[in-house]
Amino acid sequence: MRLILLGPPGAGKGTQAKLLTGRLGIPQVSTGDILRQAVAQGTELGREAKSFMDRGALVPDEVVIGIIEERLRKPDCARGYILDGFPRTLPQAEALARALTSLHASMDRVLSVEVPEEDLVKRLTGRRVCRGCGNMYHVDTSPPRKAGRCDTCGDSLYQRDDDKEETIRHRLRVYKEQTQPLVAYYEGLGLLERIDGQGTVEEISQRVHRALG
Ligand code: AP5
């Protein structure tokens, strides 16, 4: 299955993608994770991406399109994948369509996860991520058993540089201007399902499953 998770920052795309990966046995392909890894490794890509990411702007289309074209050719994507955070602009969606055509493949479903803006801000300001395994926590709604430490691997938790309130508000504006138009684009292609992203992680996971049949 080839699937896109669309939705604003903090909608829970990463959380649901990780659950789906476990259940469907296909990889989560997150452009945000790929870019953050490049930043952490100090590669040329990371240095270029960092200035955009830190201020909540989108990394230029040609950069992320190149990353995705390379990633989708890897063997673990042969049986399908969950795209998390890509595409985010119309040129990215069109490039994805061309890449799929060249691989004789097509998109199966696009899920748009919808959450009110004030909830998104609360989710993101409280998010903490494990340095070791990438597990996600929230200081109020899903805190770790031991403060600042991952329940799974024991590594330390950190706050993403772009999870400061001012940057979050900018990311939400960028989403409305540049990414939200993709909801209508995929609706027009008959691929879109809207998912109510409010409720517990498990409730949303069940909605996702119902939407995927
Ligand atoms: P990216 O990493 O993709 O970030 P994002 O889209 O802003 O999404 P988030 O990871 O912030 O949120 P999410 O929806 O995955 O929510 P999560 O599950 O983590 O991109 C970062 C940056 O990289 C971009 O700003 C841009 O600069 C660049 N970039 C990436 N892709 C790009 C592209 N294609 N083009 C150009 N630039 C690109 O959950 C959030 C929090 O909420 C967590 O704490 C979680 O525990 C909690 N939570 C989850 N579900 C629930 C629930 N049901 N109830 C309560 N809390 C919940």
Side-chain angles (χ1 to χ4, degrees), residues 11 16 111-116 119 123 193-201 203-208 210-211:
Q16 296 300 326
L111 303 184
S112 170
V113 186
E114 303 183 348
V115 177
D119 289 6
R123 286 187 188 185
E193 294 272 355
R194 291 172 195 270
I195 304 284
D196 175 3
Q198 286 180 286
T200 65
V201 169
E203 282 166 349
I204 295 151
S205 170
Q206 283 169 11
R207 286 175 208 147
V208 165
R210 278 199 294 276

Side-chain angles (χ1 to χ4, degrees), residues 10 12-15 31 36 57 59 85 88 92 127 136 171 199:
K13 304 180 296 294
T15 302
T31 37
R36 274 185 293 279
V59 173
R88 269 170 134 103
Q92 290 181 22
R127 171 165 58 185
M136 257 173 313
R171 286 161 62 201

Side-chain angles (χ1 to χ4, degrees), residues 5 13-19 21 27-43 45-46 49 53 59 64 67-68 71 82-86 88 127 129-136 158 160 162-163 171:
L5 292 183
K13 304 180 296 294
T15 302
Q16 296 300 326
K18 283 185 177 60
L19 292 172
T21 289
Q28 168 193 11
V29 175
S30 158
T31 37
D33 286 348
I34 295 170
L35 291 167
R36 274 185 293 279
Q37 198 179 5
V39 171
Q41 290 168 347
T43 63
L45 166 66
M53 297 173 81
V59 173
V64 278
I67 290 172
I68 281 290
R71 181 67 186 89
I82 303 150
L83 288 178
D84 161 15
F86 183 95
R88 269 170 134 103
R127 171 165 58 185
V129 186
C130 173
R131 278 186 204 286
C133 66
N135 261 3
M136 257 173 313
Y158 74 99
R160 270 171 47 175
D162 59 352
D163 277 349
R171 286 161 62 201

Side-chain angles (χ1 to χ4, degrees), residues 87-164:
R88 269 170 134 103
T89 64
L90 197 54
Q92 290 181 22
E94 289 167 348
L96 175 63
R98 286 193 297 275
L100 286 168
T101 304
S102 76
L103 294 165
H104 307 289
S106 58
M107 192 49 63
D108 294 306
R109 209 68 69 84
V110 179
L111 303 184
S112 170
V113 186
E114 303 183 348
V115 177
E117 180 158 331
E118 281 317 306
D119 289 6
L120 297 171
V121 175
K122 279 189 211 139
R123 286 187 188 185
L124 292 175
T125 48
R127 171 165 58 185
R128 300 293 181 271
V129 186
C130 173
R131 278 186 204 286
C133 66
N135 261 3
M136 257 173 313
Y137 297 87
H138 189 280
V139 290
D140 299 320
T141 55
S142 54
R145 285 193 293 272
K146 189 174 169 205
R149 290 278 152 196
C150 178
D151 292 347
T152 309
C153 72
D155 212 330
S156 58
L157 306 184
Y158 74 99
Q159 183 174 27
R160 270 171 47 175
D161 288 339
D162 59 352
D163 277 349
K164 312 263 168 10

